[in-house]
Amino acid sequence: QVQLVESGGGLVQAGGSLRLSCAASGSIFSITAMGWYRQAPGKQRELVAVIIGGGITKYADSVKGRFTISRDNAKNTVFLQMNSLKPEDTDVYYCNLAGYTDSLPLNAWGQGTQVTVSS
């Protein structure tokens, strides 16, 4: 069983910063990618940022230049540094891990952390 524990969400004023963390634990054999998604009520979950393998990163156009994803491989932890936050960044943010547990494919989600940006 794999667990993802997120932290770092909260309330911030527009223009402020937050740093999200997601620590993975459990039966993880290898990690292909770790990323962050966000979802507003009634909307589909969308990719915010992902870090793949050796460090390749991909961002949603709406966060490029403002958000930075990074990873601590030794601790199976992924971070999302969010700067210059806007009210439209308000969402529940979910951590995702794709990889393998022993020989089986793995796709795990965190419980979500609320990010609220006030104008």
Side-chain angles (χ1 to χ4, degrees), residues 46-62:
E46 63 176 14
L47 174 70
V48 177
V50 63
I51 185 164
I52 302 169
I56 298 171
T57 58
K58 180 180 178 181
Y59 297 90
D61 288 342
S62 58

Side-chain angles (χ1 to χ4, degrees), residues 17 28 39 42 44-46 55 75 92 94 106:
S17 299
I28 302 169
Q39 186 172 22
Q44 283 192 326
R45 193 169 294 185
E46 63 176 14
K75 297 181 179 180
V92 178
Y94 296 89
L106 171 65

Side-chain angles (χ1 to χ4, degrees), residues 4-109:
L4 302 182
V5 179
E6 300 152 344
S7 61
L11 173 64
V12 65
Q13 287 187 331
S17 299
L18 285 173
R19 187 177 190 237
L20 305 183
S21 300
C22 172
S25 62
S27 301
I28 302 169
F29 177 73
S30 64
I31 297 175
T32 305
M34 292 188 77
W36 291 93
Y37 292 70
R38 64 188 182 187
Q39 186 172 22
K43 294 187 177 181
Q44 283 192 326
R45 193 169 294 185
E46 63 176 14
L47 174 70
V48 177
V50 63
I51 185 164
I52 302 169
I56 298 171
T57 58
K58 180 180 178 181
Y59 297 90
D61 288 342
S62 58
V63 307
K64 282 181 181 176
R66 300 187 298 122
F67 291 10
T68 302
I69 189 169
S70 60
R71 181 178 153 187
D72 183 336
N73 292 327
K75 297 181 179 180
N76 288 341
T77 299
V78 66
F79 306 95
L80 185 68
Q81 178 66 44
M82 305 185 294
N83 298 328
S84 302
L85 282 160
K86 304 175 181 180
E88 51 263 43
D89 294 318
T90 296
D91 266 328
V92 178
Y93 285 68
Y94 296 89
C95 176
N96 175 263
L97 182 156
Y100 291 87
T101 172
D102 294 328
S103 60
L104 297 175
L106 171 65
N107 187 34
W109 291 93

